[in-house]
Structures are given as structure tokens and as C-alpha cells.
Amino acid sequence: MKWILAAVILVSLSAVAADGPRRPAVTGLSHIALYVHDMGKSRAFYEDFLGFAEPYSLTNKDGSLHLTWIKINDRQTIELFPETPTNSPDRLFHLALETDDAVAMRDYLAAHGVKVPAKVGKGKIGNLNYFINDPDGHIVEIVQYAPDGWTIQNAGKFLPDTRISTNMAHFGILVGDVDAAKGFYEGILGFHEIWRGSKGGKELNWIHEQIPDGRGFIEFMLYDRLPAADKRGGAHHLCLEVPDIEKAKEILQSRAAKIGYTRPLEIATGVNRKRQLNVYDPDGTRMELMELQTVDGQSAPSSTAPPPQHPMSSTTASKP
């Protein structure tokens, strides 16, 4: 019955879309923002271990660090925010989607019942942006790169050869209510499902939702009981695409001692038939290094297992 209801919701949303504002393009995964405990250790991990550059930072009025950017490629970054006494122990602050028209997207979202700000602001680095919430309480930033903004003006810069990866393939977020999440990401934002997987075949664990107008997807990390806020780093993760996982492991092994990284570097083949290697930043957030191709060139079939059942709805259970 829940899947029938979800289908009805999606059809209803499509009907609304036909009469209301047209959805602007969702062109990419812009960035993921994380709270960090020790900025020095985090910088060492992302720069000296993973090999990325830190091209830009913002400070508060008192001179303290507000946030800093780790650049993956010209359109993708990782934002690092110093933790505060009031933020949740969950390291995930927000995830961000790139659009080609932030103002039109605000109007479109409002027409579909999504709570949006009164107007679209311009961030300190010149991009148009604002925040909304998905059904699980995750903060989703909508970003448009302005021609005069820092992102476009610095295209081609701060891209060292030391980067372990040149593409962030997906974000992973905890999802409690599959129907509600699909109603938001598919019914409103235009995503579409491309794969679902199960560890043991009896219960669904992952659903991959691809962005509608570009590369990349969001991985729904399904659960029956929500992990404690300080234990979500394995689920709230990002995936870095690598062409050769063996070579990536060799590079990381050569850099591990410099930053004191002592976790094992182990290559495994996932349920999706792709080789991967997990590393963890100093706060326990997982970086999933993964090859684009499967081990044998054959796609892994989608699981038909049912989603997990959980005692509380995600809209109340997953908020910090």
C-alpha cells in the first residue's frame, strides 16, 4: 500500500508541475558540508592524505575560522566548519545541489509546498544560495554558480596532481521513510532511481537516486533504527571516484605515516560489484573511494528486498 501511495503522490506532483512553474535543471552535486572537531587534523587528512587543495577560507568578525573549502574539481568541494557547542554530534551539516537558476528553483519549490526563504541570497563568495529541508530533516542547499562568483572566476585553479580523486560520485544520507524521500527527491526535484541493493537479500539497504540533469546521485542509506548522532559517520558519507583502486591504495599508504593515519587500508568488492576502499576523516566521516567500472563489466542487478521497518517516522526520528 505504501508504494501505491507513493505512486499516487508522484503522479499528483507531476500534475501540479504541469500547471505551475517548470523545474529548473539540477545539474550536479555541489558540495557536502561537515562539522569538524580539530581543523588542523582535518586539514592534514584532506590535504596531505587525500591530496586536495584548500583554496579559500572565511573568518568571523573576531578572526576565528568560519569555514574553509576543500576543492575536488571546478564544481565540487567539501566545506569544513569548526564544530560549535550547539551543533549536533552528527558531523553532517548539509549537502548541496547545483542548479542553473536558483531564483526559478525557489519559485518552483514554493509552488510544490517546500518551505523556502523570502528571497534568494548571495553568499560571501558570490554564488546564489539558500537552504531547504528534506523529509528526514537533512539540510539541502540550493546553489547557482554566478559568473562573477569565486567558483567560476577560479575555474582551473587549485587542482593539484596530488588529488586522490577528481570527482565526487555521490553523497550518502540516512533515510527512514522511503516514500517520503522519494516524494521529495523524485516527485519534486526530478531525481530518478537507478539501483537498489541489499547486504543479505532479505532487507533493502541502499537506493541510488540520480540527479536529473547531470552526473552523480544520492545514496539513501536505509535503517530500521536510527544510529546515535555521533555514530552516523559511516552512513553520512561521500564517494570519491578513482580509476584504479590499487593505485589509490598505494598512494594513500605512502602518505599515511605523515598524518598518523593508522586505520587499515583494505580493498573490497561491494554488492554493486565495484571495488572500493574506505577511509575515515578524524571525526569518523567515511570517504568511499570507488572504481567506476564493475569487476567483470557486468552491472549488479537491483535488489527486490523490502525496505526495513522502523518504529518511528523519519521526520521525527532522524532530527538531532
Side-chain angles (χ1 to χ4, degrees):
M1 288 299 293
K2 292 186 72 178
W3 287 107
I4 295 174
L5 177 60
V8 171
I9 292 172
L10 293 177
V11 170
S12 299
L13 288 170
S14 297
V16 171
D19 297 331
R22 176 175 294 184
R23 176 185 59 77
V26 179
T27 56
L29 305 177
S30 168
H31 65 265
I32 187 169
L34 304 170
Y35 289 118
V36 302
H37 176 68
D38 187 317
M39 190 60 69
K41 290 181 178 180
S42 292
R43 281 171 161 152
F45 176 84
Y46 288 101
E47 297 174 47
D48 298 330
F49 189 54
L50 296 185
F52 297 118
E54 179 191 355
Y56 194 71
S57 298
L58 290 177
T59 56
N60 299 309
K61 290 182 179 180
D62 63 0
S64 61
L65 181 68
H66 177 61
L67 81 151
T68 194
W69 280 264
I70 301 298
K71 188 171 181 178
I72 298 173
N73 58 48
D74 279 336
R75 307 192 84 86
Q76 293 184 315
T77 58
I78 302 168
E79 292 184 356
L80 302 180
F81 287 77
E83 68 179 6
T84 68
T86 58
N87 68 250
S88 166
D90 187 347
R91 297 289 98 184
L92 177 64
F93 180 6
H94 65 263
L95 54 117
L97 303 174
E98 183 188 350
T99 182
D100 62 352
D101 193 330
V103 174
M105 181 64 84
R106 193 212 75 91
D107 295 340
Y108 168 82
L109 292 169
H112 286 75
V114 178
K115 185 178 180 181
V116 295
K119 62 179 182 178
V120 175
K122 197 165 190 177
K124 291 185 177 180
I125 64 171
N127 295 323
L128 303 176
N129 70 320
Y130 52 92
F131 297 93
I132 58 176
N133 290 92
D134 76 4
D136 283 274
H138 302 302
I139 300 172
V140 179
E141 182 177 356
I142 304 297
V143 180
Q144 179 187 350
Y145 298 142
D148 60 346
W150 188 93
T151 304
I152 299 300
Q153 290 296 310
N154 286 276
K157 301 176 183 178
F158 310 108
L159 300 172
D161 293 338
T162 52
R163 289 176 295 162
I164 199 68
S165 170
T166 60
N167 181 57
M168 180 162 52
H170 71 257
F171 308 135
I173 56 173
L174 285 161
V175 166
D177 189 324
V178 172
D179 297 332
K182 278 181 166 288
F184 178 80
Y185 286 101
E186 291 186 13
I188 297 176
L189 289 175
F191 283 58
H192 60 276
E193 182 179 319
I194 55 174
W195 185 77
R196 52 179 56 197
S198 171
K199 294 177 183 177
K202 294 183 178 181
E203 184 176 81
L204 195 63
N205 297 108
W206 313 283
I207 296 178
H208 292 178
E209 292 283 343
Q210 186 169 331
I211 62 174
D213 308 294
R215 293 183 64 192
F217 61 91
I218 294 179
E219 183 173 45
F220 291 176
M221 308 291 288
L222 309 183
Y223 64 87
D224 54 358
R225 292 189 178 274
L226 184 70
D230 61 349
K231 304 295 183 183
R232 298 176 191 171
H236 288 163
H237 71 280
L238 61 96
C239 176
L240 298 170
E241 185 179 296
V242 297
D244 186 333
I245 200 72
E246 296 282 358
K247 180 63 175 177
K249 177 180 177 180
E250 179 183 330
I251 292 170
L252 294 179
Q253 284 178 324
S254 71
R255 299 172 179 173
K258 182 178 180 179
I259 70 162
Y261 189 86
T262 58
R263 287 179 179 257
L265 298 172
E266 299 175 341
I267 295 172
T269 300
V271 174
N272 62 357
R273 305 181 66 79
K274 296 179 180 181
R275 295 199 300 171
Q276 59 188 25
L277 186 158
N278 291 314
V279 294
Y280 297 81
D281 79 0
D283 295 284
T285 300
R286 179 164 61 99
M287 312 286 133
E288 182 181 44
L289 278 60
M290 184 178 292
E291 291 178 334
L292 179 62
Q293 70 280 4
T294 58
V295 291
D296 56 5
Q298 302 295 317
S299 298
S302 283
S303 172
T304 58
Q309 300 298 312
H310 51 90
M312 298 175 65
S313 68
S314 61
T315 52
T316 58
S318 65
K319 291 181 180 179

